[in-house]
Structure formats: C-alpha cells, structure tokens
Amino acid sequence: MAFTFYIHGELGNQMFQWSTGIALSKVTGRRVNFKVAPGYSLRLGEYVTKLKYLPDTDSGSSFLGQRKIFHSIYSVAKRLPNQYFFNENNLCYQDLTKVSAKLFHGYFQSWRYFHQFRNEILNEFSIAKPSQQFTDLVSSLPDDFTGIHIRRGASGAAILAEEFHGLLDSDYYQRAIQLNKSLGGSTNYIIFTDNLEKAKKTLQKIGLPDARIISPVDTYSQVENLQMMSLAKSFIGANSSYSWWAAYLAKELKTPPIFPRQWYMDPAISTNDMLLPEWISVGFSKFLNEESVREVK
C-alpha cells in the first residue's frame, strides 16, 4: 500500500520530510510518493537529478494563492482516523511504522526517523551540478575552519517570526565559541548568515568583527550555501533546521557540533529528539546558564 508525504516549508524542513518518507518506505516496504503542498515551492531542485521519488516538476507553484483552500481541507482531514491522515501533533519522535495512514503531514525533525540510512542520505544530498561560483568559493575556504551560523531573518515569506523561533543573542555565540575552543575547534571562523548587516552587529558584540562572512549575495543558492557550511571541521549552529542539516551532512567534523539547548521561545515545546546524542547543547540566556547533560531517551 502506497503512502504520500507532503513537502512544505523551507529547505531544511523539506530535507527532514524527504528523509523520513524514504526511511519509512524502506522499513515498511510501502511505496512512498511526495506531493508539494499548495502554496509552497520545491526547495530540493538541485538534488532532484539524484533524489528518488520526488515529483519531476514543482507542483506546488501552480497552487500559489490557494493555500487557504488547502488549509481548510487540511483542518478537516487532520481530524480523520490515522489510517487516512497522520498529522504530527508535536516535534518529538513517533514510531511511524505503527501508523497505517495514506497521507502524512508534519516536520519530522528528529534524527531517529532516518539515521539508520544516513550513508544513503549523505550520498543523495550532494549537489548534482555545482556552479562555478560554488567551486571558486569552496577552493577559497581554509582546510580547517569553524563554521558559525548566525540566523537573523531575511525578508519576505521566508522570514522567521522572532516571537516563535527566537533569535540567539551574543551570549550564546560567545559561550559556544569558548566551548568550541576548549574542545580543540579551529579559531579560523567562517560566518554563514541570511542577513549580512545584522550578523555584522552580532560579530561586533562577540569580538569577531573581522571574521569572514558568507551571505546570500555570495552564493548561487541555499543548497550550495548549505554544502559549504557542511565542509566545516567544527560547527556552531543556530536554532534552525538549516543549521541542523549543515552539521548532519558534515563528513569531517573533528569536534561535536554545538547548538542552543532551547530551540523555540516557548520552552514547553520539546525538542529532546532533535539533536544527536553526541552533539552538544548550550544554554543561552539568564534562565539557561547552568550547563547540564541533555537527557536523550
């Protein structure tokens, strides 16, 4: 029996959805189909020539302006029994092999869904045809560097609501940098950001005003930017699925990647299943300044 996974959100979200769908197909023997949710665009285009099962065209683009209709249908469908429609009701891992739904909708932001197929995923998520701009930028990077992702929000539909996600303050980056040093991480920093001017202000506060910055104006695409981030030998991430994938795709990390312990403004939203057990989380506010071992069930 086949099942369908909705593809929605930005690049990092879609990578989670694709990986989870493929892993579930392999484990259960059921065929998986992917459908771009109306109002969204397929962000995996540069992987499409290698990725299996994805739609040949961006079916979501023809439904722009119909998102309200989709969500009206979705609000009804999510109340159906789970043999028809599975709607992820939290961000913690759930055993999908016990769900017989025909349609899956969610973010599925946990390594537990697909980690057993990591080698295949790493192979699939490589750029099919890198641009010359990407090749030149990669050749200019040092062999050993610490990548730091400073997410500050760009503009338009992709901007993240500060009230929900939160933006990491300079205290987090200062503490993460010191921890990274103590672990033996490189002090050669490459900064990756979605907002050049705001990132510069953060770098002034944390004492790295001259660090090299790579922003959207320097790269051909989000995918190529992500691939460059994954070349880091040490990595300090933001509370972002984009950051998460940079660390997961990295094949030559010499130190554990560092992420914020609190991922959303609301501490009640559990993300216990998001970070791999060997990754490190750091508190970043006056309420989270005591380091402790993160519990992994």
Side-chain angles (χ1 to χ4, degrees):
M1 181 178 65
F3 63 95
T4 298
F5 254 68
Y6 267 124
I7 295 291
H8 59 97
E10 295 300 316
L11 178 61
N13 302 138
Q14 295 187 12
M15 292 171 75
F16 273 112
Q17 293 150 15
W18 180 88
S19 300
T20 301
I22 293 299
L24 183 60
S25 175
K26 288 181 174 294
V27 171
T28 62
R30 299 168 63 191
R31 187 178 77 255
V32 61
N33 300 308
F34 291 96
K35 182 177 179 60
V36 181
Y40 293 93
S41 294
L42 183 67
R43 302 299 187 188
L44 302 172
E46 288 167 73
Y47 298 132
V48 162
T49 57
K50 297 190 71 175
L51 293 180
K52 305 177 182 68
Y53 314 109
L54 279 181
D56 294 330
T57 59
D58 183 356
S59 60
S61 61
S62 63
F63 289 89
L64 289 174
Q66 297 187 25
R67 189 178 295 186
K68 288 184 179 179
I69 297 175
F70 168 74
H71 283 295
S72 295
I73 297 173
Y74 165 72
S75 65
V76 174
K78 70 181 183 180
R79 292 193 291 269
L80 295 173
N82 71 2
Q83 65 262 34
Y84 299 106
F85 187 92
F86 177 84
N87 178 58
E88 184 186 38
N89 55 19
N90 60 60
L91 294 177
C92 292
Y93 170 79
Q94 300 170 71
D95 187 354
L96 300 182
T97 63
K98 297 179 180 179
V99 178
S100 58
K102 295 181 180 179
L103 181 65
F104 289 78
H105 182 280
Y107 288 94
F108 307 107
Q109 294 183 351
S110 172
W111 58 277
R112 295 179 186 271
Y113 286 117
F114 49 78
H115 190 59
Q116 68 189 97
F117 304 108
R118 185 182 187 188
N119 289 338
E120 178 179 338
I121 289 169
L122 293 180
N123 181 60
E124 295 287 354
F125 284 133
S126 59
I127 300 174
K129 296 179 180 179
S131 69
Q132 187 60 49
Q133 186 176 1
F134 172 78
T135 302
D136 292 342
L137 270 173
V138 168
S139 65
S140 72
L141 296 175
D143 291 334
D144 186 3
F145 69 91
T146 293
I148 301 178
H149 185 205
I150 300 179
R151 189 196 70 187
R152 283 294 178 263
S155 60
I159 193 166
L160 295 164
E162 183 175 350
E163 294 80 8
F164 181 70
H165 292 274
L167 299 177
L168 301 175
D169 58 16
S170 57
D171 173 64
Y172 162 74
Y173 286 107
Q174 287 173 326
R175 301 180 68 213
I177 287 169
Q178 289 301 316
L179 177 57
N180 185 62
K181 283 183 183 178
S182 71
L183 294 171
S186 172
T187 56
N188 194 355
Y189 302 108
I190 305 293
I191 313 302
F192 297 88
T193 187
D194 55 354
N195 191 309
L196 180 60
E197 294 307 313
K198 290 184 179 180
K200 285 181 177 179
K201 293 179 181 179
T202 300
L203 292 174
Q204 288 283 349
K205 292 180 180 179
I206 64 178
L208 295 177
D210 300 321
R212 181 179 175 184
I213 303 175
I214 295 178
S215 70
V217 299
D218 301 307
T219 57
Y220 174 76
S221 68
Q222 280 188 319
V223 168
E224 291 194 346
N225 188 287
L226 181 61
Q227 292 298 123
M228 272 188 285
M229 290 170 67
S230 72
L231 298 176
K233 297 296 194 299
S234 299
F235 187 72
I236 296 171
N239 51 338
S240 156
S241 59
Y242 195 67
S243 266
W244 191 100
W245 277 103
Y248 195 75
L249 295 178
K251 298 178 181 179
E252 299 182 12
L253 286 175
K254 70 177 187 180
T255 59
I258 300 171
F259 284 91
R261 180 166 303 124
Q262 186 172 327
W263 206 264
Y264 299 100
M265 289 292 287
D266 182 356
I269 301 176
S270 175
T271 54
N272 286 341
D273 294 322
M274 184 174 289
L275 302 184
L276 274 71
E278 62 268 27
W279 292 5
I280 296 175
S281 62
V282 172
F284 63 93
S285 76
K286 62 183 180 180
F287 303 110
L288 295 171
N289 57 10
E290 294 292 329
E291 297 302 325
S292 62
V293 177
R294 179 173 51 85
E295 180 180 358
V296 178
K297 296 180 179 179

